[in-house]
Amino acid sequence: MNPADEILDIVDEHDRVVTQAPRGEAYARGLRHRCAFIQVRDAEGRLFVHRRTATKMVFPALYDLFVGGVVGAGESYDEAALREAEEELGVSGLPAPTYLFKFLYEDGAGHSWWSAVYEVRCDLPVKPQVEEVQWHAFLTEEEVAARLGEWEWVPDGLVAHERLRAFRAAG
């Protein structure tokens, strides 16, 4: 199926479903929907970082600190988090990602989605989806920090990253 044809739940400012629409229409019209963000660490605690392919509908060819994506119509955040993590990492048998928090992402330029943030440890060898991931590596916190000012990152992922740092700092 063409990703633009995937049916999404369209939600209000309180994350209540108000209608459904194809993903392409949701993006074109700036309709608020749901997404899952999953921070992946390996057994050594390094972060999975990747560069999105140039064919992605939103934020093509940018770097990302999370795997994840849209929540399909009728799908829960938890279901989407596991599905998206396994798809993007190219693994099966991943433990269920741990839900951390949710926030409303709005950039003022027509992008608006409720964003559920998760974390998961992946001890499996990854083989990321070639349709989704152009490049990937597991990087240390120091390596990520050094690249934050150098690489062009997906804006929603940067917001999620900052919120996750604040969440962890609040303990």
Side-chain angles (χ1 to χ4, degrees):
M1 173 181 19
N2 181 335
D5 297 331
E6 181 181 5
I7 302 299
L8 307 182
D9 286 332
I10 304 304
V11 297
D12 66 13
E13 66 274 10
H14 303 290
D15 197 19
R16 293 182 299 227
V17 176
V18 293
T19 191
Q20 293 180 336
R23 184 197 302 210
E25 180 183 341
Y27 288 163
R29 294 180 47 208
L31 301 175
R32 185 178 296 120
H33 54 282
R34 294 172 170 160
C35 289
F37 291 70
I38 307 93
Q39 183 182 72
V40 180
R41 291 184 184 271
D42 67 5
E44 297 174 36
R46 297 175 301 176
L47 290 168
F48 181 82
V49 175
H50 69 282
R51 186 171 189 189
R52 298 162 61 88
T53 58
T55 56
K56 296 291 285 180
M57 290 179 67
V58 175
F59 310 136
L62 300 185
Y63 289 90
D64 202 341
L65 294 157
F66 298 87
V67 297
V70 298
V71 178
E75 187 176 35
S76 72
Y77 284 107
D78 289 351
E79 291 166 336
L82 180 58
R83 175 184 54 77
E84 287 283 350
E86 287 190 334
E87 283 177 7
E88 285 194 36
L89 295 170
V91 302
S92 60
L94 195 66
T98 302
Y99 173 81
L100 301 174
F101 61 90
K102 184 171 69 169
F103 71 97
L104 178 59
Y105 174 78
E106 293 185 294
D107 69 357
H111 295 117
S112 177
W113 41 81
W114 277 100
S115 309
V117 179
Y118 292 79
E119 65 182 355
V120 71
R121 180 173 150 169
C122 181
D123 295 337
L124 304 165
V126 299
K127 190 176 190 294
Q129 248 183 346
V130 295
E131 302 83 13
E132 304 264 343
V133 177
Q134 176 178 315
W135 169 91
H136 73 280
F138 281 96
L139 302 178
T140 65
E141 293 281 351
E142 294 77 19
E143 290 169 325
V144 169
R147 287 163 176 83
L148 281 175
E150 297 173 4
W151 293 352
E152 192 174 1
W153 298 88
V154 295
D156 60 344
L158 285 178
V159 172
H161 177 69
E162 287 304 315
R163 287 178 179 250
L164 181 52
R165 289 180 57 191
F167 174 82
R168 289 200 169 118

